[in-house]
Amino acid sequence: APVTNGQGASRGRGDNRRDDNRQQPQYPQQHARTSNADPSHSKRPVLVYSCIGVCVLAILLCIKTLVWPSVPSSASGPQHPAAAEGDGASANGMNNNRQSGGRGGRDPNSSSSSRAEPQHFDSRGRYVLEDFDAKPTWSDFLPAVAGIYGKPVWVFYVNRGQCIASFGTKSKAFPIMEFNSANKAYQNTAMLGFRTFLRITRNGRSVDVEPFSPTNTRWGGVTGESSNEFNALPKRHMYVGSNEMQIRETDLTNQIETNVTYFVLPEEDFSSFVRRTTITNLNLNAPATISMLDGLARMEPAGGEIDGMLKSMGRTLEGFFGVHQASQRDDIQTMPFYRMSTEATDSAAVTIQPKGHYALSFIEGDDAELLPIVFDASTVFGEDTMLLHPVGLRRKSVREILEGPQYGHAKTSSAFAAVDEVVIPPGGSIAVASFYGKADKIEDVPVVARRVTAPGFVQYKFTRATELLNQITQSVETQTGDRLFNGHVQQMFLDNSLRGGIPIILGKKDDNTRILNADEDSSLKVYHLFSRVHGDLERDYNNFVVEPTFFSEGPSNFRDVAQNRRNDVFFTPAIGSFHIKMFLSFIQADGYQPDTVEAIVFAISDKALCEKLANNAVGHADGVRAQRELLSSILCNGPFRPGQLFQLMEDLHIELIVDRQDFIDAVAAVATTMPWAVFTQGYWADHWTYYMDLILAYLAIYPECEESVMYENSLGYFFSPAHVRPRSEKYVQSEAYKGRGKHVRQLDATVLDAEKQKERQKYFNEVTGWYGPAANWQHDATTGNMFQSSPIEKLFLLATLKFATRDPYGMGIEYEAGKPGWNDAANGLPGMVGSGMPETYELDVLLKYVRSVMDKYHRPVLIPIELATLIDAIGEALDDLIVSGYVDEDLSELPASVPSELFAYWDAVTTAREAYRESVKIRFRGGKMELSSSEAVQEHLDRWIQEVEEGKARASKIGLTDGGTNSGVVPTYFSFNVTKWKLSGKENKDHHELVIPIAMKVERLPMFLEGPTRLLKTIDDKEEALNVHKRVRNSPLRDEGLGMYTISASLKGSSFDMGRMMAFTPGWLENQSVWLHMAYKYYLELLRARLYDQFFEEMKTGMLPFMASDVYGRSSMECSSFIASSAFEDPSQRGRGFLARLSGSTAEFLSVWVLMMIGPKPFLLDKHSNKLAGMQLVPALPMSLFRKDGVKKNSKSEEPTISFKLFTAINVTYHNPDGRDLFGEPPKRYEVGLRDGSRRTVESSTIPADLAEKIRRVVFVESIDAYFY
């Protein structure tokens, strides 16, 4: 698995219960490798002189005039010589140890030297921003990954002040530092976040300094500021790593350097955010005596969900606030505990608040002792309530503040570690480590304190935090000649994993099962870690959840996980068909899907098994009988998830006597698993369109398993409490814009249904307080059992329903359930009776796939009798359409008004669909009809496919979307204006009159990139695909200034009814910006269409590793949601990225990576025997990406190579001695290295089946060398 437990991850008895007297482990001391490493991490005491370090620093300072000019800088002033290293070598002595080829500067041997060497990445792969607080604002986050057996905190940061803008546990409702949207975080962070106040004394003279103060920002170009004044300002750098962030200020005026490193504590049974502040005396002749306050200016207490109340009634809320001391001595203020007295509710049930936040700080060393914490902010800032100046500290010394009283009730407190008069020798340093987290009760804080102050703890945990992320990103370790591209691959894999989750295998693990996949052994269970909704400072509209438990994960949007798990089987083949079965289970009887996907749940119904597991886990002794019975009860009263199980065991003081990984594997092996999802707000029209991507990805790895997967699995139908209304209840008459008469809109299309909620209530579990699993699945009325169908039967049902949902002109799929498709900023389209061509193109793919499967295997399918009735009605309506004599005689003259014959067909089919939906709203009747004749089924499908093709042709003619000039770019959306209607005599809840439509007119909408992108999926002919690309490239979708593609052409003149995209200014968000997800999806389709030259030409300007970071405005490793396009009014913002990371672009890029490195179908099928025929790698790689540091051929020159990880474990190297582009051709021969030390040579372009099977099972194979000569 790509994520391991790490050292000390399993501890046996006491794992789930903190022991106050637990022996402290000795953590290995780790040292920086660089010459200017932080001296506080050597084995000597912190303040002992380091002669070598002083001498080196002195030499560097003496030759600074030679070093400085080599450092890229926007200013010519002095800077600390450490900055000349370009890698943040004084990074608190903590090294990332990232492997070469990861994120970092360009390899000097790179063959792709046509673009300039990027200056924004250090040798450790971190993004480096000089004078970061003077640069345009941007936000980012730490990944909130604490390992399998760790409890994460979420952390957001910006490039202002000391950067941390907010952090907390679980969600933004539980902040330790208040969550603010990005626009406010940019303003507040420097004042309300972390602050450092120093009083430096040398030779009897004292000076007060605040590192990273905005008053000393090097803005540049400030009127009246001399060059000497500017050069005297401190120099600042920011270093962004994969799981850490560091800032550094070098103040030559005061001869002090301040380094701060942040990371999330990994692999502990308590959650904590770690800050490490290192102060270095740059004076090589005189010691410095410093007093310091370092910490958080405003720290929120624990008290339930308080984020909203902080913003709406913050002053009243402060009445609940209090600071208590965990030391139980009022004179020792080293362990403050910030909590509310009760939760701030106004109800008869009062909830006492035992949980609290803690702040612990100490100077690192072998005998670390906790520092006192100043929690009374008024003692620091006095009357300055803006927190601009430490007025109180200027009046008093740190010692005087500590000796005076502090008050922590009825106000918001601070958390400053206090250091009083510590001497730092010339060239020496001190390091203050601080931990901020949440404890279940105040008695836990001393236990946490003893643990974190153990010698070597901070350094060891920083190293583990870095290793955890490296273990994830090394799954796609790629070695090309472009190190920024290599780094982008790893970053995109990480961000894809954070949104979609990382699959791991739980269950029985031995020599036999480790070579099997989850389809072959039912004891193996697939579980995903670390997933979450992509909410952050810029995506403030999303309510993310990162559970602070072991096996941490959170709920995600259906679309997000369906897309971001698309390539899981390419990286972890052992998951088998897990995603196909899980996501197809979510198809409802009405053809829609729930909008939120949660982690699968486990359940054990056999009481004897539960008792056996409990006996093995806690022991047979009488003294643990209560624990044993509790654990057995928990296991038998599921459902549960691993993280919830461990949390319950901790809360109930159930202690294990076995390794906890062995315990959860034993539980998973005998448990059943069930998908879990939730309806929250609506049915998106595009959610079903991601099924084929999952299916085709699986078949690329397991082509011989198609029949068994499609026919030999039984899947339920998700049962949602919501219902899609018929037209008679959602078509309303209302006032048009500015009172321009009446018009008809489609409103409140999907609502919670009382009958469905009553049905779900039957399965509510009073013991657990959860709905039982049965509540999520539709039953049949005859037996009361869960109604099930095979995957191919569910796909057939889905295809039928989507075909029956085509718009009145037979072109797009109607947005009839209240939500649009992928572009959710088109939120008004459902109200405009809108439809989408992207869904039609996907329907084309789905229909043809279902037809091919049925044609290939000639097996009968069983469909619900209700669906059979709908199919008959569709057939009758098509027959009536033929009888009417309607044909599209002249596509160039199609009228805007929907022809009466087509309207009659639409009305009949829609009525039948509504009747079907009503008949299956609560339960299926239980009967099924066998479609035993493949010819009969194919006749239906062929007829439907033909209708879809005719609709596509109509759309291409009607949908001219660029002001009437025929660009040839296919349309994306339509709306339908109801031109004639009659009143039904009923009203909706808003007293709008409900209507019955009689006639409609199609309305053209602007050009969008999604239409032609999805169209490319339906095209097999390379020339036809090339023509589509030429039209798009020559259309208004092309942003020539950026060399990229915008989400839409100009929306000027369009109706505001389309949705919020119309509210945005052009070039911003979904209004004509570069939306990287769709742009990357377009590039992917070019590559799928084998348009290699065109793809790599677009990649030069359209993909982030090839863009300039100073234009992009943030790390070009990280994909933003959108880039402000050339249409945006402010030129300084054009080309900048916004809404960073965790977007669908990561899924598209990884699909690109798969095609570039592996090929579309690596495993081949013998069509006669339907067995695995072999394996063939077919990369698509330009010579410009090959590196020239490979093996030498004939001792003359280095052989161009590219290497990558196959299935996260097998090293594959391509050898390209001729130095040519490798576009869609297999190697001439292979050398396969097995893990037993043997090697096999294959003198063919295809690896034989037996060896291909070993490769697919991963564990047998170590390496593959593929030779193109």
Side-chain angles (χ1 to χ4, degrees), residues 313 489 537 1101 1246:
M313 48 175 281
V489 173
L537 301 182
T1101 57
T1246 301

Side-chain angles (χ1 to χ4, degrees), residues 576-834:
S577 61
F578 172 83
H579 289 319
I580 294 177
K581 291 181 285 191
M582 185 184 81
F583 282 102
L584 292 191
S585 294
F586 292 140
I587 298 175
Q588 300 173 175
D590 60 6
Y592 289 102
Q593 297 78 27
D595 55 318
T596 299
V597 175
E598 298 188 354
I600 63 167
V601 296
F602 295 77
I604 305 174
S605 58
D606 188 331
K607 187 176 180 180
L609 275 177
C610 295
E611 292 175 350
K612 181 179 179 181
L613 287 167
N615 282 332
N616 293 338
V618 302
H620 301 268
D622 289 340
V624 293
R625 178 179 178 182
Q627 294 184 42
R628 189 167 59 244
E629 291 178 350
L630 278 172
L631 180 54
S632 177
S633 177
I634 293 171
L635 294 173
C636 273
N637 283 285
F640 57 85
R641 298 186 177 106
Q644 294 168 332
L645 176 59
F646 279 111
Q647 189 62 51
L648 276 171
M649 292 167 63
E650 180 179 321
D651 294 341
L652 297 173
H653 308 296
I654 299 173
E655 301 180 26
L656 295 174
I657 62 171
V658 297
D659 179 275
R660 57 192 171 197
Q661 186 62 48
D662 291 341
F663 167 70
I664 197 63
D665 281 334
V667 170
V670 298
T672 58
T673 60
M674 287 153 286
W676 203 271
V678 179
F679 172 87
T680 57
Q681 56 178 313
Y683 294 137
W684 266 263
D686 67 314
H687 281 181
W688 63 274
T689 66
Y690 307 108
Y691 293 142
M692 285 307 304
D693 290 334
L694 293 167
I695 292 169
L696 294 177
Y698 170 80
L699 294 178
I701 305 300
Y702 295 102
E704 77 279 18
C705 297
E706 181 179 56
E707 182 178 8
S708 62
V709 166
M710 285 294 135
Y711 286 94
E712 296 168 14
N713 290 282
S714 295
L715 308 178
Y717 289 79
F718 188 80
F719 186 71
S720 167
H723 179 61
V724 181
R725 285 173 161 169
R727 291 165 297 167
S728 61
E729 297 177 16
K730 62 186 177 183
Y731 277 32
V732 302
Q733 174 181 269
S734 63
E735 292 287 340
Y737 182 61
K738 292 185 177 180
R740 297 171 182 170
K742 303 283 187 178
H743 68 165
V744 172
R745 290 184 296 164
Q746 180 179 232
L747 301 179
D748 300 321
T750 299
V751 294
L752 291 174
D753 186 272
E755 288 184 81
K756 300 187 80 173
Q757 290 175 307
K758 183 179 179 181
E759 175 75 6
R760 281 173 51 82
Q761 196 65 32
K762 296 177 182 178
Y763 306 102
F764 186 77
N765 188 325
E766 298 289 349
V767 176
T768 63
W770 278 35
Y771 283 101
N776 286 337
W777 305 103
Q778 191 138 357
H779 294 69
D780 73 57
T782 303
T783 66
N785 296 330
M786 189 169 74
F787 191 87
Q788 295 182 320
S789 299
S790 68
I792 192 62
E793 291 164 351
K794 293 202 73 174
L795 288 175
F796 181 71
L797 176 141
L798 178 67
T800 303
L801 289 170
K802 296 310 170 185
F803 178 78
T805 316
R806 293 183 305 139
D807 64 34
Y809 231 128
M811 299 183 296
I813 304 297
E814 287 188 83
Y815 296 154
E816 55 109 24
K819 295 293 184 181
W822 171 84
N823 186 353
D824 50 22
N827 54 291
L829 272 180
M832 299 173 71
V833 194

Side-chain angles (χ1 to χ4, degrees), residues 121 127 484 488 1104-1105 1107-1109 1112 1114-1119:
F121 296 89
Y127 176 56
L484 290 186
H488 189 55
L1104 291 185
M1107 297 174 60
S1109 290
Y1112 185 51
R1114 60 176 79 221
S1115 170
S1116 57
M1117 297 297 95
E1118 300 174 350
C1119 222

